[in-house]
Structure formats: C-alpha cells, structure tokens
Amino acid sequence: MTVTNATNIGNASCAELLGEARNSYAQAHPLSRAAHTRAARSMPGGNTRSVLHFPPFPFYVERSEGCHIWDIDGHKRVDYLCEYTAGLCGHRHPVILSAINEALERGWVNGAQHEIDGMFAAALCDRFPSLDRVRFCNSGTEANMMALTTSRAVTERPAIMAFKGGYHGGVLLFKDGPSVQNAPFETVMADYNDTEGARKLLTENAGRLAAVILEPMLGSAGCIPAETGFLRMLREECTRHDIMLIFDEVMTSRLAPGGLQEMTGVTPDITTLGKYFGGGFSFGAFGGRADVIDRFDPDRPDALTHAGTFNNNPFTMHAGHAVVTQVYTPGRAATLNASGEVLRKRLQSVADRHAVPLVFSGVGSMICLHISDHPVSSPSCGIHTPEAEAAKSLIHLELLARGFYFAPRGMIALSLPMTKAEHDQLIDAFDDTLHLLAANLTRLATAR
Ligand code: PMP
C-alpha cells in the first residue's frame, strides 16, 4: 500500500501519486471498507466526528495498547495521532485502569458529590498559575463556551475577540472569520502574532469586548506558537480595559508542567482545559481568578449557574485525578516535552537533507508538518496550492503504509509510552518516504 511500485514516480504530480496511494490503501483495508460502507447507512459518510475522516475511507480500530493501535485489517501502527493530543497517557495505562476500576466498583450514576471531585480540582489549581478555582464540564468546547459566557456575564459586555486560525471547539471555529456554524457571539477577528494590529483592534473595540480568547500555540492551525511579546501585549491591554483574557490550553497544557502560561510567564484571567486530563474520558474544565469564578458559588445571591449532568462523572474524576497526581507528573511533562524537541529537530534535519520544502513547527510534544520553504509563524505561511495539499495527503498515506498513524493535516503528538525506538523508526520511515518523493516535493516550491 504505497506508491513504490508506480512507474515514473519522479515525473508524476503529487495528485497523480495520491490517486495511486489511495488505491493501494483501499486494497490493503477491505474489512475497514466494508465496515465503512455499513456505517454510512446510518451516519452521513459513515462519520460522527468530522476530523476522523480521510479519503478514500478511514481504517477501523480493532484495539490499542501502549503507543500502538491495530486496525481490523491486521495492521499495527505507532499511534502518533495520539487522539489529537488527548491520548497523552497512551492506551490502557495501568494507573488509569485501576482508577476506573475504583469508579466501577463504587458506582457511577450518583447525582451527588464525591470527595475525588475536590481532590482533582485542588491538584489542577496547584499546577496552573492562573487557576485559583476550577469547574468541570464534558469537553473543551463546553469549557470555552462557559469561559466566554462567564466573561460576558461578569463584564456585562457582548463581544469577543478571536484570532484567525483559532480553534476552540465545534461551535467556536475561526478561520478567516467565524464559521457559519459558530455560536452567535459578536466577534472581532484579529491576526495571530500581529502585536500592533491586535492592539489597535483591542483599543478600538474595548468598550464592547468581554473577552479575548486564544490558544497560546495555535493547535489545529498547525502548532504555531504565540510570540511572548504578543501574549504580553494582550495581557497588558486586557488589564487596562478590564477585558477577560482567556487562554485555551485544551491542547497546550501538556507542553509544560503548568502549561504554556507557565512557560511564557503570561497569566490569563481564565484558562480552559480538556483532552488528556480526563485520562481519555470526556473532559473539560474552566477556571481562573477567584473573584471571577467564585460567581458560581451557589450560596451567593448573585450566583451564576453552570449545569451539566456529567460534570463530575466518576470515571473522569477518578481518571483525571490519577493523571495529574500520578501519571503526568511535572517530571514526566518535562521529559516528554524534551523528547519532542529532539524529535522535531531530527524530522527537520531529514527534510533539510533531502532539500524539500517541509517545515516542522511546534513546541515539545506537539509537532506539525507544513509544506513550506520558510519558517511558519502564522496560518497563512507556507504553500497552500492543491498540489501541496495532495503532497501532504500523500505523505500521510505513505507513513500509514509504513506503520505510523498521525493526523492527516500533519500533526504529530507524543504519548508517555513512546521510547526512542519508536522515534527512530519514524525517522527511518520518513527518510524512506522522502527518498521516494523528494523530486515531487521539490517541485512544489519551484512551481509557485
Ligand atoms: N480547544 C482546542 C485548542 C482544541 O484543540 C479542541 C479540540 N481539538 C477544543 C478546544 C475542543 O475540545 P473538545 O473536542 O473536547 O470539545
């Protein structure tokens, strides 16, 4: 299932080679194809989560263990997709299994409080500089919706500022502007890492802005870190105008023991969390300054409400507490992210050795591949022609064929069970792929 056997590879376009790679993939996954056909009878396109789809059809999972995932067609792969960063602990981590067993033993539909809820909250507040208080919900999307609606309630202003390329959930997606499916917040759009442009927009709109929301490193737009000066400016202007600065650390909280807020030294008013902190179970949290989040104290006469049947579901509470206190300790966060720094540099040096226009961006354990001949500092950087998109899909399928699963858009995330052996194998597979495709990829830069 690779284009290795295609004739005249060097002269073909990436789009042509992609067609061949898709055919080989389809032939190598007959059982997944059948499962997909069955699923499509009751789910549109066989899909219930858009990001999991890739043409011709995604493989179907048989099981997973450690840092590996097996499909029903019998292929074993190293899981660098890592559940879009939520799989940080790896599959079936023994400490999480025993935390879940405890929840199973003690019952899980209680409609009441458990001591573990407060213990988990305390562990998070100890860990993140901005968290005086925290509240739980079920997803990153929900956490961001709550952070934004809380900001609007507290400031009594209607609008929000978001950044091009920002992703804060299914109803909070910002490309060049808000998606048509977004929650209908009045939104001021600014360019990421454009310090002076964003300062100007902030000043002009200060009177109606409740919140500025951003990821301190753009995640789904390609692991593009914020410049510290940009974050400092946002902190300064939000303080000046009493606007809530919200850091969406749903993904980036994994990049340092106290998240990117700790690494950059810029403390937001509200932080949102999600993904891996639930140990792989549904999870979201929002928290921050005591004077803001204490508005949810039910004993207050001016209390805000926050509902959610599963906010403190025992699986997430037990698993999450185990993750913060036993599994993703500050020491392990440091080691994992250091190994990601090494891997990113190694991937870049393979690309440079083949002289192809590929750039690996990111911080620590999150890495993203871009088709670009320049460093990437905003989502508009890089080559975005249809041929370049085909090249990215082709690299994705070639690496799948060589036993590596990662996000079709180029994102790679590390998990705790990975060792240098898996990284060495990825480097070899990437090198092998570039031996095959170097001529085609080089033309992407010259053809612009
Ligand atoms: N914020 C960021 C930065 C994310 O990456 C995501 C999910 N990829 C979300 C929010 C939404 O989280 P969820 O999928 O749990 O709703």
Side-chain angles (χ1 to χ4, degrees), residues 25-37 57 72-73 75:
Y25 172 91
Q27 277 167 23
H29 295 84
L31 298 180
S32 291
R33 187 211 283 271
H36 192 63
T37 305
F57 53 82
I72 59 174
D73 294 286
H75 307 106

Side-chain angles (χ1 to χ4, degrees), residues 417-437:
M418 288 175 177
T419 64
K420 185 168 176 298
E422 280 80 32
H423 300 334
D424 288 348
Q425 289 158 18
L426 175 67
I427 292 289
D428 287 347
F430 182 55
D431 192 26
D432 190 43
T433 301
L434 292 193
H435 268 297
L436 188 69
L437 300 175

